Structures are given as C-alpha cells and as structure tokens.
Amino acid sequence: MTHHIPEGLPDRIRHYIDGAFVDSIGGETFDVLDPVSNETYVQAAAGQRADIDLAVAAARRAFTDGPWPKLLPRQRSRVLHRIADLVEASDARLAEFETFDTGLPITQALGQAQRAAENFRFFADLIVAQSDDTYKVPGRQVNYVNRKPIGVAGLITPWNTPFMLESWKLAPALATGNTVVLKPAEFTPLSASLWAAIFEEAGVPQGVFNLVNGLGEEAGDALVKHPDVPLISFTGESRTGQVIFANAAPFLKGLSMELGGKSPAVVFADADLESALDATVFGVFSLNGERCTAGSRILVERAIYDDFVEQYAERARNIVVGDPHDPATEVGALVHPEHYDKVMSYVEIGKGEGRLVAGGGRPEGLDRGNYVAPTVFADVAPDARIFQEEIFGPVVAITPFDSDEEALALANDTKYGLAAYIWTNDLKRAHNFSQAVEAGMVWLNSNNVRDLRTPFGGVKASGLGHEGGYRSIDFYTDQQAVHITLNESHAPRFGRG
Ligand code: NAD
C-alpha cells in the first residue's frame, strides 16, 4: 500500500507561548508516530511544569492587561468568524494533516475540520445574541446579572478527532473573553500546531492563546495543579477524569468533564430495520470506532435478532478498511500501536465471551499499520467485559432482549451514561424509553447528529457538567448578581440603642 506523507510537515512541533513558537525550557521532547507506518515522523516538545508556568503567566497577563476580555462581544465575534473562515479555507489541508496523524479516514477528517469551523461560527453568533437576566422588585430593587470571563482556562483534549474537539473548547472559552492554555493529546499534536497561525491571522491578541504539548502526567498535570488556572475543561477517559478531579480539588477549580462511554443502541422489532442498520453500523465503525458516543452495545429484540445479526455481520464484513488518505476508505488505522494492542486484546477477550460473526483480527492484505477488521460479537452476556468496558475501536457487542423492561435494564447496566440510540416506531415506547434510559444524550430513530445549541455531556461515569450552547457560555463565565436599591435602604437599624 502507498504511504501518503503530506507536504510541509513541520521539522519539530513546538509550544506556542505568548505569541512565539518555543521549545521546552529544558529541551525535553517526545516521539510522534504516524499510524500507518508506526514510525516516528517528528519530535514534539514535551512540556514540563516550567513551560506550563510560562504559558499560564502569558495567558494571565493577556487577561489582566490585554484587550481581549474587555472587547465588545461584536469585536470578539468578528475575530471568531475570521477563525472560522480560515479553518474553512484550509479544511483540505487540515484534514490531510489530521488523517496522517490520527489514521482517521480522510472524508471523515474533512467533516471534522468543517465542524471545527462551525463551532467557532456558532459561538461567534451566540455571544452577540447573548442576553442576561434582570429582575425587578417594583419600587424597591433592580437586580441584574453581570457576566464576566473567569481568567485562564486550561483545556485538555484527547486524540480522537483532536482538532474538532480542541475547537469545541477553544471557541466558547475565547468567545466569552477568557485566555487559554491548551494541552492537546500527545498521540496527535500535529493539527493543534496549526491553530497558532490561524489565530494570529484572525487577529487574536498575543498571549490569549497558548499551547503546551506534552504528556498528560507532566504538562497536563502541571496545568491542572496551577493555582492561576481557575477552570479546567477536560475530555478524555473516565479514569483520567477521576485523577484530574482529585488533583483540582485542593484548588476548588471549575471543572467540565466529558468522559468515556459504552452507549447502547436499542433496536425494537417495529423499527425501520434498514435505517437502524445504517445508523448502528455507522455508529460504531465511523471514526474508526474511536468515538466517545459510539453505539458499541447493540440490543436487539428477539423477534428480529437473528436476521439483524446476519445482516449486520454482512455489512461489517463489507466495510472498506485501508489507507486513511483514500477517499473510498471507511475504516482507517487506529491512532497508535499502544491503542491498537488494547483494542486487539479486547478482540481476543471477546472470542471467549461472544460468538464472533465478523472480523476478529487484522484485515487481510494489511500487514503493517494499526488496522483492525470491523469486529462483531453476537450473543454477548451483560457481564462480559466487552459489554461493560469501553474498547474505543471498531468492535461491537450484540445482545438480544425479550421485553421493554429487559431492554432498559440492559441499556442501563454499565457504569457509563453518555449516549443512547433508540429505534422504534411506537411513539409512547420511544418517549418512555428515552426518558428512562441513563444517558446524557438520546437519539431517537436517528444517527448521531447534534444541533450545537443542545446540551452535550454524560451522566454516571461519562461526565460531569454539560457544555453546548449557552451551557458552554455558563461554564466559561462567572454570573455576578448585582443588587440595587431604588429607594431607602431597608436594613434594620442595629446599634442605635
Ligand atoms: P486520556 O484520558 O488518556 O487523555 C486525554 C487527555 O488528558 C490527553 O491530553 C492526556 O495527555 C491528558 N492527561 C492524561 N493524564 C493526565 C493527568 N494526570 N493530568 C492531566 N491531564 C492528563 O484519553 P484519550 O485516550 O486521549 O481519549 C480517549 C477517551 O476520551 C475515551 O475514553 C473517550 O470516550 C473519551 N472522549 C470523551 C468525549 C466526550 O465528549 N465525552 C469525547 C471524546 C473522547
């Protein structure tokens, strides 16, 4: 297979602090691999505490002394729209870099680049439309909300769709007037290195955007423990979220946690089977299965179970796995050999826990790179590890059910609660089931398509707090209540004897 290497790759990936690209103070670096050759293609600066200190100090100066937090919403909005324009204009290049670094299929990486632009456009519009509450107590008081940016926001992001997920935090944090330090995932730092030029060209003032590369336990940890960073927005594994939660506790930081998932897709016998198949196949195999909201447990009503499993397996076997840069590819290469080993270990575990009906190893003809054949296990019991644990790859568990009650119990029987997908044409069941399922987001007879105004987030081990639309604005701002007396003060008169 050809190995596409984009032109213009950087010779080194550096931090971006106070408007300049810099190496780590101590010169530390780490290797970055591409997932098709698994060879190191670049060294990235590995940020340490001292580098985080510099970045936070720059962001703090830009917050206290710079123009950004004080600009009119319209002025910041214009800058954000320019960012969106620039991202859109370079979507093909962004997608090419993203695909090279992550192994995501190029058509899907392109969609993610466009979504990143849309995130900036959306928050650019939202801050000019934003209004805050005023409360009147007739003749006595007026109270109003004075919304304020908080300060330096620490943004810590994962390696799946990295550029888009960075935009999901950068756009609202900047729109609301904060300054930021971004710590992108160490497996995939390439596309993040493009933000600096985009922000400079769009007119983001110096020091407002800072980026420190590095390992989670070093750069990420230092950011979480920095006393001048009052906010941490984190997306990643539930286990990492627990560590960050504990480390942030002594500082009483504002935390937004978007964590892991093991989301159910529930298919009732009365569903439109063809649509359910389309969506449940796409739901777990798109983005290489490296998707937090993947419907990786499919629960199917017994009456259609055998037929569903047969058709599902047939679809999975026909999925085009291959070169991520080929537009015909549907599943590319997993991000990193460590992650590949993890996913493959679950494939082996699954062979002892379910009936393998598709995949089960490397696809034929692809003997290097992190390729996993779309893998389907049927008849998986709810206590199986492949039913309970997040695999984060192209692997799905299918389980039958006999009643609505059993379907609901199975759907809720994991520690996670991010998304749920329900397929039925029965109106009452659809709503009752949706409302009872333990998931932050439900898609009813629908694939994972999200309006940017809706809340995004999980329950249980899938997250704490919701972002999306005004909820992101709330997370990145303080809402100060200002109370004004309209006539005499009503204080009881103490101390007059
Ligand atoms: P991860 O938790 O390993 O890493 C995420 C980020 O945290 C990385 O930047 C990493 O360097 C950093 N990090 C690691 N340890 C840290 C520490 N001790 N202190 C501070 N930072 C630290 O996750 P990942 O493997 O990169 O991403 C995959 C996970 O992300 C999956 O569980 C997936 O479900 C989840 N995810 C969730 C959502 C969501 O919105 N709920 C979206 C995408 C991905």
Side-chain angles (χ1 to χ4, degrees):
M1 187 203 289
T2 56
H3 182 214
H4 176 88
I5 299 175
E7 277 178 28
L9 287 175
D11 58 357
R12 165 91 67 108
I13 293 179
R14 295 180 167 83
H15 312 308
Y16 180 78
I17 298 177
D18 210 9
F21 285 100
V22 291
D23 287 319
S24 284
I25 295 168
E28 297 85 351
T29 59
F30 64 94
D31 291 344
V32 187
L33 320 181
D34 83 76
V36 168
S37 73
N38 279 329
E39 281 165 16
T40 301
Y41 75 87
V42 76
Q43 299 276 313
Q48 310 294 311
R49 181 168 306 281
D51 305 299
I52 288 287
D53 284 349
L54 272 187
V56 173
R60 182 78 205 144
R61 270 194 309 280
F63 187 75
T64 52
D65 308 339
W68 189 250
K70 300 174 200 81
L71 290 182
L72 295 175
R74 172 59 76 199
Q75 292 173 309
R76 278 203 300 271
S77 171
R78 285 210 178 95
V79 176
L80 264 64
H81 274 299
R82 281 201 291 273
I83 294 171
D85 292 343
L86 289 162
V87 169
E88 262 166 17
S90 52
D91 60 355
R93 174 110 184 111
L94 275 164
E96 187 190 18
F97 270 33
E98 194 80 310
T99 288
F100 178 71
D101 203 23
T102 62
L104 285 178
I106 187 78
T107 51
Q108 298 171 34
L110 187 64
Q112 296 296 323
Q114 288 157 356
R115 182 74 166 183
E118 192 54 32
N119 280 333
F120 275 93
R121 233 177 255 306
F122 173 80
F123 285 106
D125 289 342
L126 203 61
I127 46 158
V128 287
Q130 161 87 32
S131 66
D132 279 308
D133 297 327
T134 327
Y135 307 91
K136 207 168 77 175
V137 187
R140 293 195 180 181
Q141 258 195 347
V142 171
N143 313 281
Y144 68 89
V145 172
N146 172 35
R147 194 181 282 274
K148 301 194 279 192
I150 296 177
V152 180
L155 313 178
I156 303 179
T157 49
W159 48 257
N160 66 319
T161 61
F163 191 78
M164 193 284 287
L165 282 173
E166 290 149 17
S167 75
W168 167 245
K169 298 184 189 303
L170 287 166
L174 295 175
T176 44
N178 297 282
T179 59
V180 303
V181 176
L182 169 68
K183 206 302 279 174
E186 56 267 46
F187 282 176
T188 55
L190 181 60
S191 55
S193 68
L194 301 174
W195 283 119
I198 292 170
F199 288 160
E200 275 180 23
E201 196 176 338
V204 175
Q206 181 179 330
V208 169
F209 165 75
N210 302 274
L211 175 145
V212 178
N213 289 291
L215 310 187
E217 298 73 14
E218 296 173 355
D221 185 68
L223 188 56
V224 169
K225 293 176 180 165
H226 200 295
D228 285 341
V229 179
L231 284 181
I232 296 287
S233 178
F234 169 76
T235 300
E237 286 187 20
S238 301
R239 210 167 349 101
T240 316
Q242 287 173 312
V243 172
I244 291 179
F245 203 76
N247 287 341
F251 303 93
L252 297 171
K253 297 193 180 209
L255 293 175
S256 170
M257 297 265 167
E258 308 285 7
L259 309 176
K262 188 77 183 179
S263 300
V266 185
V267 185
F268 287 92
D270 67 349
D272 172 345
L273 192 59
E274 206 55 23
S275 302
L277 272 169
D278 287 344
T280 52
V281 170
F282 181 82
V284 76
F285 297 120
S286 55
L287 305 179
N288 297 344
E290 298 162 326
R291 174 179 214 135
C292 56
T293 48
S296 51
R297 293 181 296 139
I298 306 181
L299 312 175
V300 184
E301 194 165 3
R302 182 92 55 191
I304 56 162
Y305 182 73
D306 290 339
D307 185 27
F308 184 92
V309 169
E310 196 178 310
Q311 292 198 51
Y312 195 95
E314 174 76 17
R315 295 267 198 120
R317 283 191 289 269
N318 286 332
I319 285 175
V320 182
V321 185
D323 177 4
H325 291 277
D326 183 340
T329 292
E330 292 171 325
V331 169
L334 299 194
V335 68
H336 191 276
E338 272 174 33
H339 184 60
Y340 171 84
D341 288 346
K342 175 188 149 181
V343 172
M344 278 301 198
S345 78
Y346 277 107
V347 170
E348 291 312 311
I349 291 167
K351 289 176 184 170
E353 291 185 328
R355 175 166 58 95
L356 180 67
V357 292
R362 278 188 92 81
E364 268 178 42
L366 295 170
D367 42 12
R368 71 167 189 163
N370 305 319
Y371 293 105
V372 176
T375 296
V376 183
F377 292 104
D379 312 344
V380 178
D383 61 351
R385 286 185 62 192
I386 60 164
F387 189 95
Q388 293 291 338
E389 297 173 21
E390 185 182 45
I391 300 173
F392 220 54
V395 182
V396 67
I398 311 186
T399 302
F401 67 84
D402 290 299
S403 66
D404 289 35
E405 294 70 28
E406 191 192 1
L408 185 64
L410 286 169
N412 289 341
D413 184 17
T414 68
K415 67 175 181 174
Y416 295 108
L418 191 55
Y421 306 86
I422 322 288
W423 290 88
T424 178
N425 279 318
D426 179 322
L427 194 63
K428 281 192 200 158
R429 168 195 278 155
H431 289 287
N432 287 326
F433 201 102
S434 298
Q435 292 177 24
V437 74
E438 292 165 359
M441 295 166 286
V442 179
W443 278 273
L444 201 43
N445 295 327
S446 163
N447 158 42
N448 179 337
V449 177
R450 193 180 148 262
D451 182 295
L452 286 174
R453 290 169 297 183
T454 58
F456 183 97
V459 297
K460 295 159 67 180
S462 289
L464 273 168
H466 280 64
E467 292 199 43
Y470 284 114
R471 292 143 201 100
S472 299
I473 302 278
D474 283 347
F475 175 70
Y476 290 105
T477 52
D478 278 330
Q479 295 178 62
Q480 180 186 49
V482 180
H483 308 270
I484 312 142
T485 297
L486 291 180
N487 51 23
E488 283 130 49
S489 158
H490 290 87
R493 308 187 81 191
F494 277 25
R496 286 172 56 91

